[in-house]
Amino acid sequence: VHKANVLIASYGRSGNVENAKIVFDSISQPDHYSWNSLLTSYARNGHLDAAKAAFDGMPLRTVVSWGSMLAAFAWNGHLKQARAVFDRIPSCNVISWNGMVTAYARSGCIEEARQVFNGMPERDVLSWNIMVQGYAENGVLREAEKMVSRCPMHNVMSWTCLFLAYAETGNMKDAKASFDRMLVRDLVTWNAMIQAYTQNEYLVEAEQVFRKMPTREVASWNTMIQLFSTANHLEGAKAVFDEMPERNVISWTSLLCASSSSTVFERMPQTSWITWNAMLAAVCQDGHIEKALGLLDKMPLKT
RNA sequence: ACGAUCAUCGCCCACU
């Protein structure tokens, strides 16, 4: 049974609701894990009615089932219903509370989110994170900042979210200051820093940060390609590309954007629809209508 | 027997 349950859950995660249901039906004695997995498969993929039916039909509703249902409503924009579910949960845990906070925060009801957050009997890292992200997304940087400093755990993700919110305003002074104030940083933080500099065309600073980084990963290198690309420095971009220890689709696509060259495109080991769009854009820019149409024909997925 | 599988955030890099 438990193997089947895992299957249901993974089908659900990949959006394959039909298969999830088939597996579920093949179980002679589904337990509450099976039911919950089925429920979340529906919930995650927008099948609200099916989710409701599963919820009503299940023999035993655990706090997980309630949580799924809450998330299902929240995801589909039914805040009121989500709230109704929340109010009826027999025994809330942190996750249920977080779910409710998330529901409000994501719908832009940051005040309500805050109220729920304030009423929480206990909070975990996620609770704080959701609030920080919520404030940051709504541009209330002062509150986001307060949240981060009040948070008892040192949480990289919160710090990074706050940093990104500053960076988005284009005020690199504030962004840098918040970066410097961080007590903990991880790769993502560093990557975000060079990315922010690059985007705001502080190319020298970006490269300095890149050099200073304790470790690097593909994303860091990719940003360096883009750095040279924004500087119109094709040779530099190529040099980075050759120098980097490993490459992914994004590396290739970045190089493609820098060079607009179809030879790069042909050499690519993998492509994605973004790659195709990038190539298409480059070809159109050069006015090669025939080529563009040819590309369009060959495109695996048109958007 | 216990455990393991299910719900909430998941933050950084490519086209538009």
Side-chain angles (χ1 to χ4, degrees):
Chain A
V1 179
H2 127 256
K3 272 201 171 149
N5 291 345
V6 176
L7 248 186
I8 299 176
S10 72
Y11 275 134
R13 267 189 282 271
S14 59
N16 207 330
V17 183
E18 289 81 13
N19 283 350
K21 175 74 164 110
I22 292 172
V23 177
F24 179 86
D25 287 335
S26 73
I27 306 174
S28 51
Q29 305 273 347
D31 59 12
H32 67 272
Y33 284 110
S34 327
W35 279 98
N36 284 154
S37 301
L38 181 71
L39 169 57
T40 44
S41 300
Y42 288 138
R44 281 212 173 119
N45 298 288
H47 301 220
L48 243 191
D49 291 329
K52 265 189 272 182
F55 183 78
D56 291 333
M58 53 202 301
L60 174 71
R61 283 184 275 278
T62 66
V63 65
V64 174
S65 328
W66 288 93
S68 288
M69 215 48 227
L70 165 52
F73 282 125
W75 272 111
N76 293 285
H78 299 118
L79 253 192
K80 288 242 162 63
Q81 324 238 41
R83 179 67 203 217
V85 170
F86 177 72
D87 288 335
R88 288 181 49 203
I89 301 180
S91 53
C92 277
N93 60 15
V94 211
I95 299 187
S96 331
W97 283 92
N98 286 347
M100 197 61 236
V101 178
T102 305
Y104 279 130
R106 258 225 269 280
S107 325
C109 307
I110 198 72
E111 283 310 314
E112 286 84 347
R114 181 54 180 268
Q115 274 168 23
V116 176
F117 177 87
N118 287 342
M120 289 179 78
E122 50 165 342
R123 302 179 187 98
D124 64 6
V125 208
L126 282 195
S127 326
W128 290 91
N129 224 238
I130 295 163
M131 286 310 298
V132 172
Q133 274 185 41
Y135 278 127
E137 261 165 35
N138 289 280
V140 197
L141 294 189
R142 277 186 52 84
E143 288 302 320
E145 181 83 53
K146 274 195 212 155
M147 276 282 154
V148 166
S149 53
R150 277 184 47 207
C151 176
M153 330 77 183
H154 289 166
N155 173 198
V156 208
M157 210 162 115
S158 293
W159 290 94
T160 310
C161 286
L162 182 64
F163 165 78
L164 282 168
Y166 278 120
E168 215 166 80
T169 65
N171 184 340
M172 286 312 287
K173 263 193 132 104
D174 287 352
K176 172 76 162 64
S178 104
F179 182 85
D180 289 337
R181 262 182 278 125
M182 294 185 189
L183 301 175
V184 277
R185 299 181 192 105
D186 65 3
L187 253 174
V188 174
T189 322
W190 286 94
N191 289 342
M193 186 74 233
I194 51 174
Q195 162 70 5
Y197 271 142
T198 302
Q199 212 136 52
N200 292 284
E201 313 220 10
Y202 291 77
L203 303 185
V204 180
E205 288 83 351
E207 195 176 354
Q208 279 169 358
V209 175
F210 178 80
R211 288 225 195 83
K212 264 201 308 220
M213 289 176 76
T215 54
R216 304 178 181 94
E217 61 176 354
V218 204
S220 333
W221 290 92
N222 289 344
T223 306
M224 289 310 283
I225 299 183
Q226 289 146 34
L227 183 150
F228 283 108
S229 176
T230 43
N232 273 320
H233 192 323
L234 179 54
E235 291 312 311
K238 274 188 188 148
V240 173
F241 184 84
D242 290 334
E243 198 187 327
M244 57 197 293
E246 47 171 330
R247 304 169 187 92
N248 61 16
V249 212
I250 300 187
S251 327
W252 282 93
T253 312
S254 305
L255 185 66
L256 176 65
C257 291
S259 64
S260 304
S261 133
S262 50
T263 30
V264 171
F265 184 69
E266 280 150 19
R267 283 202 195 130
M268 290 182 69
Q270 320 110 39
T271 57
S272 75
W273 59 274
I274 295 190
T275 321
W276 286 84
N277 282 345
M279 192 64 235
L280 192 58
V283 171
C284 290
Q285 201 107 69
D286 291 345
H288 297 130
I289 306 296
E290 290 304 315
K291 269 194 190 166
L293 290 174
L295 265 178
L296 259 179
D297 275 341
K298 277 189 270 175
M299 268 179 105
L301 185 69
K302 296 174 188 48
T303 55

